[in-house]
Amino acid sequence: MIPGLGHRRRFSDLGEQEILALAISSEEDDARIYRSYAERLRADYPASAAVFDGMAAEEDEHRRRLIERHRARFGEVIPLIRREHVAGYYARRPVWLVEGLGLDRIRGEAAAMEREAARFYTAAAGRTRDAATRKLLGDLAAAEAGHEATAGDLAADHLGAGARDDEDRDAHRQFVLTWVQPGLAGLMDGSVSTLAPIFATAFATRDPATTLTVGLAAAVGAGISMGFTEAAHDDGVLSGRGSPWKRGLASGVMTAAGGLGHALPYLIPDFWTATFLAFAIVFIELWAIVWIQNRFMETPFLRATFQVVLGGALVFAAGALIGGG
């Protein structure tokens, strides 16, 4: 069992009552998020704040209609089920991670929220046999898709004529979600987590052949583990992160590549030549991680550098001290 996921239900296992309960709690959460955005923008962008106020009011109306449907089908008691209870369900970033980054980031987050909600209602309608419930969920899917268009209009209103093309933005976002995020997670895991066992073995044995064997085992094992974990924990249906096998492939290959990078130099028979070459490759790997974080994940360069270099240095030091001791 994958740690942390054993208590989560798969979406395909939810019944109609649970789907309605999940939709009700999600609409309530989204309304709160939109009102938080509105308050953040009200002083500088009153028109945008009014848009978010209107979107929050519509989410409230959606919740009211869902509650009425639940009452008609199942009575007054609504089960407590939230996003975090469902494996693969799309997550919302905490408001404080978004609201300080300006209108462009808030608009993009709102558009993603509506796109994900529309995807959820479309999938939910397909799993419902009751005609009235199916119609309600289908209507809400269409309404959420309309909200995405409304959120997209904020760029034209406040960002000028140079707003990014919607299709290019969506394609880039999908590329990041499907390939970059899993690949980056794999590269970080493969590059950093294998430092300790490889260099501990190197300094303990001073034997390139033994170090190579340990390095190959660590890299390949980590790649298989990360690949299957990424593919298994989210099927991509609701999160919109794309094919689980593509994400698993990206994560697994990059994890193995990160570990193999500083294991393969020990094909060289001379210990110190191999070790210094491995040092150089680790340096390149860590800076590649920093560049990817800064380029695709919008992580500030200095913060990414500090996190990656410090983490790598600590893991390397642990391996060297354990092996040298």
Side-chain angles (χ1 to χ4, degrees):
M1 180 178 294
I2 300 171
L5 295 181
H7 66 288
R8 303 181 77 184
R9 296 280 300 279
R10 293 184 301 175
F11 178 72
S12 59
D13 293 334
L14 299 183
E16 181 182 332
Q17 183 180 20
E18 293 171 313
I19 288 175
L20 286 173
L22 178 59
I24 290 168
S25 67
S26 298
E27 292 288 357
E28 182 177 4
D29 289 345
D30 287 355
R32 290 177 177 175
I33 291 173
Y34 288 142
R35 288 194 171 92
S36 297
Y37 289 166
E39 287 305 306
R40 164 68 178 80
L41 298 172
R42 202 172 307 282
D44 297 324
Y45 302 102
S48 294
V51 170
F52 282 116
D53 283 333
M55 292 173 71
E58 289 200 36
E59 301 298 282
D60 288 339
E61 174 62 18
H62 294 173
R63 180 168 58 92
R64 184 192 65 79
R65 294 170 63 187
L66 287 162
I67 291 174
E68 287 184 353
R69 189 62 204 149
H70 184 280
R71 182 182 293 119
R73 288 279 289 156
F74 304 105
E76 297 288 340
V77 180
I78 302 173
L80 176 60
I81 179 169
R82 309 185 71 86
R83 291 185 176 100
E84 59 267 24
H85 301 158
V86 180
Y89 198 79
Y90 60 89
R92 297 289 189 237
R93 294 180 180 87
V95 171
W96 59 83
L97 293 181
V98 178
E99 63 179 3
L101 300 180
L103 177 62
D104 189 20
R105 179 64 179 271
I106 292 176
R107 178 200 56 79
E109 189 71 14
M113 287 171 60
E114 298 304 328
R115 181 168 51 249
E116 291 161 351
R119 185 182 295 113
F120 162 71
Y121 281 121
T122 299
R127 291 191 46 77
T128 305
R129 295 182 179 181
D130 179 73
T133 303
R134 181 189 292 268
K135 180 180 184 304
L136 172 59
L137 296 174
D139 291 344
L140 293 179
E144 298 290 357
H147 280 183
E148 182 185 351
T150 300
D153 289 342
L154 294 177
D157 293 340
H158 300 288
L159 300 178
R164 291 183 297 273
D165 180 80
D166 286 343
E167 292 184 358
D168 289 343
R169 184 180 63 248
D170 289 345
H172 175 73
R173 175 180 178 276
Q174 194 63 55
F175 171 74
V176 171
L177 290 175
T178 303
W179 295 105
V180 177
Q181 283 185 350
L184 176 62
L187 182 61
M188 293 177 68
D189 186 83
S191 298
V192 176
S193 68
T194 59
L195 286 176
I198 291 176
F199 286 109
T201 303
F203 286 104
T205 65
R206 303 297 177 95
D207 180 9
T210 302
T211 304
L212 176 64
T213 300
V214 172
L216 290 176
V220 173
I224 293 172
S225 175
M226 284 288 288
F228 274 99
T229 298
E230 177 63 41
H233 92 277
D234 177 7
D235 62 10
V237 174
L238 295 180
S239 65
R241 296 179 65 224
S243 166
W245 297 112
K246 290 181 180 178
R247 299 194 326 271
L249 178 65
S251 181
V253 169
M254 293 305 290
T255 301
L260 290 173
H262 43 270
L264 291 179
Y266 287 96
L267 287 168
I268 299 173
D270 182 75
F271 172 76
W272 285 111
T273 301
T275 299
F276 282 122
L277 179 58
F279 288 167
I281 292 176
V282 169
F283 179 82
I284 295 172
E285 289 173 344
L286 295 181
W287 279 108
I289 293 170
V290 171
W291 181 83
I292 293 171
Q293 285 188 319
N294 177 253
R295 171 66 177 81
F296 292 100
M297 311 307 294
E298 301 180 4
T299 304
F301 182 79
L302 291 179
R303 188 173 76 184
T305 301
F306 177 77
Q307 292 173 340
V308 173
V309 173
L310 177 62
L314 290 175
V315 175
F316 167 76
L321 288 174
I322 293 172

